[in-house]
Amino acid sequence: MIPFFDYRPEIAPIAGEIDAAIARVLASGRLILGPEVEAFEHEFAAWVGAPDAVGVASGTDAISLALRALGIGAGEEVLTVANAGAPPVAAIRASGAIPRFVDVDPESLLLDPALLERALGPRTRCVLPVHLYGRAAPMEPILAFAARHGLAVVEDCAQAHGARPQGHHAGTRGAIGCFSFYPTKNLGALGDGGACVTGDPALAARLRRLRMYGFDGDRVAHVEGVNSRLDELQAAVLRVKLRRLDHHLSRRHALASAYRRALEGSSIRCPEPPEPAEHAWHLFVVRPLDRARAIAALDRHSIGHAIHYEHGAHRMEAYSFLGYRAGDLPQTESACASVLSLPLYPGLDDRAVTAVAAALREAE
Ligand SMILES: Cc1ncc(COP(=O)(O)O)c(C=O)c1O
């Protein structure tokens, strides 16, 4: 049995440090917005290479609060992709804004910047590229397009801790980068969590207000805020895990290379290996000729798998009011019909990669 994801082998060697971090919080008398969150914000910002980080309750909240901090809201449009499932779309809607979808590049499955111009409308305010599967979206043309039209750029880095194209960590080129610490992510908490990174002190201050009812250190709402806080326990655990993150990322790279080697010469389409720094290998997503057959073979061998994502957000029931029809985003729809995610996490061993590849070859 090879599970699709298992945090236990990653946690086992650091269980003592995690226990000590939890004990430290319990003894501190402070459970919400205290020294652990503050220290984690500094340490995470430094690791990413951003001037500031603001801890929030989830990656979804990080995006919706980022949009709100930029003054983007009701009736205004945000350009994004539909192949990252519901979360970025739910986040855009939580801010009151409206998602407008841009199709993806057929190879990288990331936002295709050549299609931005035709998605632009009079109410467009922002571009939200998603660094999907851990691979950095092409920021140069996205930033150039945004600058030409006076739009903000907010980066969805929920899957991209560790992607550093041309030396810039994902999330540090746009106005705000939004991270998730959902347990499966490259840096996962023992529950929910998220953070915004930014180089603009005014935006950081607005985000700190928004995450706490619009307060300013007092108990008066100066702007309409929400309750979206990273808690002390999660921050303390994340501090321990952050110290191992580079090591875990190199294991992800090694596993991705091992998958590519093991599937070489097969009909299974593997992701192109970009420059190593461009990819943080959150997911290893293949495109078999016959996905149902590949899934049946993995099931026969008790190998976990997942689909990220089976349905484009543009065709989900909740978003039917946006008016998209089948065929509107052909590359997105073709990706949704063919992608298959294989197990990939730091605790996975090399024998598992061999077993997964053998099962997939059986289904060719
Ligand atoms: C691409 C993407 N964006 C946003 C999110 C939202 O993160 P969270 O689950 O922490 O709210 C996720 C995670 O589910 C994601 O994968």
Side-chain angles (χ1 to χ4, degrees):
M1 155 108 185
I2 301 172
F4 177 69
F5 170 72
D6 191 354
Y7 64 85
R8 290 168 299 182
E10 189 184 320
I11 290 290
I14 50 172
E17 281 176 74
I18 289 183
D19 286 346
I22 292 172
R24 188 172 70 233
V25 174
L26 295 184
S28 75
R30 198 66 193 267
L31 296 174
I32 299 287
L33 293 186
E36 298 289 342
V37 169
E38 207 174 301
F40 173 70
E41 288 178 341
H42 280 120
E43 289 160 11
F44 186 64
W47 184 82
V48 167
D52 209 344
V54 179
V56 295
S58 70
T60 308
D61 281 2
I63 298 168
S64 68
L65 295 182
L67 295 173
R68 292 188 54 189
L70 286 158
I72 296 163
E76 298 181 311
E77 294 183 356
V78 177
L79 306 182
T80 193
V81 292
N83 67 331
V89 181
I92 292 168
R93 292 299 300 141
S95 74
I98 298 167
R100 287 290 166 219
F101 298 114
V102 179
D103 210 355
V104 295
D105 173 84
E107 191 53 53
S108 68
L109 305 184
L110 300 168
L111 187 148
D112 184 346
L115 303 176
L116 281 168
E117 208 76 49
R118 81 173 66 146
L120 186 74
R123 293 184 300 175
T124 309
R125 290 286 315 280
C126 178
V127 189
L128 180 81
V130 180
H131 304 299
L132 196 63
Y133 310 144
R135 183 168 181 179
M139 290 306 290
E140 299 302 334
I142 293 172
L143 290 166
F145 167 82
R148 259 196 320 278
H149 297 286
L151 310 176
V153 175
V154 172
E155 299 176 62
D156 181 339
C157 312
Q159 302 192 0
H161 321 62
R164 282 195 172 85
Q166 286 103 42
H168 301 283
H169 198 292
T172 59
R173 308 292 303 282
I176 303 178
C178 304
F179 290 83
S180 163
F181 305 125
Y182 183 74
T184 59
K185 302 302 190 207
N186 287 4
L187 177 61
L190 301 184
D192 277 309
C196 293
V197 301
T198 182
D200 180 338
L203 282 178
R206 249 176 264 156
L207 286 163
R208 290 202 161 85
R209 265 183 163 183
L210 286 169
R211 76 173 169 187
M212 177 84 169
Y213 307 117
F215 292 171
D216 243 358
D218 48 15
R219 293 197 164 263
V220 177
H222 300 278
V223 292
E224 279 189 285
V226 297
N227 168 3
S228 180
R229 300 170 297 223
L230 182 67
D231 66 63
E232 287 286 285
L233 280 170
Q234 295 303 344
V237 170
L238 285 167
R239 292 181 70 196
V240 174
K241 294 193 71 188
L242 184 59
R243 295 200 284 270
R244 299 295 185 291
L245 187 49
D246 287 322
H247 171 65
H248 287 156
L249 285 166
S250 49
R251 182 72 193 136
R252 285 178 180 277
H253 276 266
L255 288 165
S257 303
Y259 267 130
R260 264 203 311 276
R261 277 195 306 275
L263 289 167
E264 211 172 348
S266 77
S267 66
I268 315 282
R269 192 167 157 197
C270 287
E272 286 292 308
E275 286 298 303
E278 268 176 50
H279 213 311
W281 294 109
H282 174 56
L283 294 170
F284 194 83
V285 176
V286 294
R287 299 173 86 178
L289 291 178
D290 184 337
R291 182 167 71 186
R293 252 174 85 86
I295 287 177
L298 295 175
D299 285 343
R300 265 197 311 280
H301 292 277
S302 303
I303 294 170
H305 49 79
I307 296 178
H308 296 91
Y309 295 86
E310 198 164 2
H311 303 284
H314 67 304
R315 297 288 296 143
M316 290 181 186
E317 191 185 345
Y319 304 117
S320 58
F321 70 95
L322 295 170
Y324 287 89
R325 291 168 202 277
D328 281 350
L329 302 171
Q331 300 303 340
T332 297
E333 289 161 31
S334 139
C336 291
S338 59
V339 292
L340 178 63
S341 307
L342 307 181
L344 176 69
Y345 41 93
L348 196 71
D349 62 28
D350 293 341
R351 282 166 312 173
V353 172
T354 310
V356 174
L360 287 174
R361 281 175 182 275
E362 215 178 273
E364 279 194 274

